[in-house]
Amino acid sequence: AGRGIIDSTGRVIPVKNGAIRFLSRTQPDGQYLISADVAEGLEHGDYSCAVIIDRKNGQLVAEWHGHQDYVEFGSTLAILGRHYNNAVIAVEAGVSAHGTSALMQLKNVEKYPPELLHQSEHDRPKSDDPYQRPLRRFGWITNRISITIIIDHLANLISRRDIPQLTLEQIYELRSYIRGKNGETEAESGAYDDRVMALAIGYYLLRAYPPKKPKLRDDTCKTCVHRGLNRALKIEMCNYSKKILQGGDIWCPAYRYRRVGVETIFTA
């Protein structure tokens, strides 16, 4: 575990008070889900939060938590998504316009693949709806019904101890998240619920995104599903995740490598 930031090139930079807390090592062939709760970004206001979950085993991999303008946070989500092997991203949209703005930054400015952005069903299409798919909306739509469903599901997982590696900050927020006199769930006065919402959305949607079995090619390593060289682009690139080899990265523990010009020679 440690803290840091991920720059626009996908490079991890250790920073003592960085917005990202890393809980486990990223797997080269890992498949991930990122769920996010978006705030306005004011210095003394609510926090934005994103949690990264391993789709194979449900393990928490990392958490981004901090104050950031909601449009800029959309760009941050794109950086996180690309770093985590083109992860599926689910952004809360429906409580305020902040989530929608972050989504538009993700989709229209950062050009994050639409097929990797979670879409929710929209139950009230209008006759003049300009959308090509009027019953679908990008993002997780939070309303009185959906919030009850995801919070009850999260509570069930926690009671069964099915979520490994919860941080102390997450546990604190979970303990301060209560059911009010009106029957609705909310954070206690003076507390926050951004971590709770990010966890609740992510773990509820985890069942909708089971890990996919990669398609292997003849020139792909059968052990780690990677190959060391994209000959067309003359760069060392994973054929599965499209991640580019950087610095001293070693993808597969079964192989060693040495560089010869732009070539990489693998030896067992």
Side-chain angles (χ1 to χ4, degrees):
R3 287 189 174 274
I5 60 173
I6 300 175
D7 67 17
S8 58
T9 67
R11 184 168 55 110
V12 176
I13 303 173
V15 177
K16 183 177 180 180
N17 297 317
I20 306 173
R21 170 171 286 182
F22 300 98
L23 303 175
S24 62
R25 188 178 297 276
T26 307
Q27 298 302 313
D29 61 343
Q31 299 179 49
Y32 300 99
L33 169 66
I34 299 176
S35 54
D37 179 66
V38 186
E40 187 174 1
L42 298 178
E43 183 178 353
H44 300 292
D46 292 339
Y47 291 86
S48 289
C49 180
V51 295
I52 296 88
I53 305 172
D54 190 322
R55 289 160 58 186
K56 294 181 179 179
N57 55 25
Q59 186 175 25
L60 273 172
V61 176
E63 176 195 76
W64 190 102
H65 188 264
H67 289 117
Q68 191 174 47
D69 176 83
Y70 47 88
V71 173
E72 186 179 353
F73 187 50
S75 296
T76 295
L77 289 174
I79 292 172
L80 290 173
R82 295 186 180 108
H83 176 80
Y84 286 99
N85 301 342
N86 296 324
V88 174
I89 301 179
V91 179
E92 183 185 28
V95 175
S96 68
H98 305 144
T100 302
S101 297
L103 272 167
M104 292 303 98
Q105 180 74 5
L106 255 174
K107 179 176 176 290
N108 298 336
V109 179
E110 297 294 341
K111 305 299 181 183
Y112 202 76
E115 63 271 18
L116 295 178
L117 298 175
H118 173 74
Q119 296 184 57
S120 297
E121 293 185 0
H122 186 67
D123 59 355
R124 295 181 181 178
K126 299 178 181 179
S127 59
D128 60 347
D129 199 326
Y131 287 81
Q132 293 180 352
R133 301 177 64 193
L135 295 180
R136 306 291 291 180
R137 290 291 187 274
F138 285 104
W140 168 264
I141 306 300
T142 299
N143 52 42
R144 294 182 64 180
I145 296 176
S146 66
I147 194 171
T148 299
I149 293 172
I150 63 175
I151 292 298
D152 287 350
H153 179 259
L154 180 64
N156 187 36
L157 292 178
I158 292 173
S159 67
R160 300 201 315 253
R161 299 185 179 182
D162 285 344
I163 303 181
Q165 289 190 236
L166 284 172
T167 67
L168 290 176
E169 291 84 357
Q170 289 168 341
I171 293 172
Y172 175 80
E173 278 199 16
L174 288 164
R175 287 179 173 174
S176 64
Y177 194 79
I178 61 174
R179 191 175 299 276
K181 295 181 179 179
N182 58 1
E184 296 183 1
T185 55
E186 57 188 359
E188 287 182 329
S189 177
Y192 298 98
D193 65 357
D194 44 271
R195 288 186 169 101
V196 176
M197 293 307 301
L199 287 169
I201 293 170
Y203 278 99
Y204 182 78
L205 290 179
L206 194 59
R207 297 172 296 178
Y209 295 100
K212 295 181 179 180
K213 187 175 181 179
K215 297 179 180 179
L216 300 182
R217 290 170 30 175
D218 291 339
D219 58 357
T220 301
C221 168
K222 303 301 187 293
T223 302
C224 64
V225 204
H226 293 75
R227 183 188 174 187
L229 180 69
N230 183 310
R231 295 182 183 278
L233 300 178
K234 295 185 178 181
I235 57 176
E236 294 164 302
M237 176 185 287
C238 161
N239 281 330
Y240 175 53
S241 69
K242 306 304 180 186
K243 182 178 178 181
I244 298 174
L245 182 66
Q246 295 182 353
D249 290 353
I250 299 177
W251 287 321
C252 177
Y255 286 77
R256 301 188 305 274
Y257 70 90
R258 61 186 177 86
R259 294 181 178 178
V260 181
V262 298
E263 297 283 343
T264 297
I265 308 301
F266 286 87
T267 57

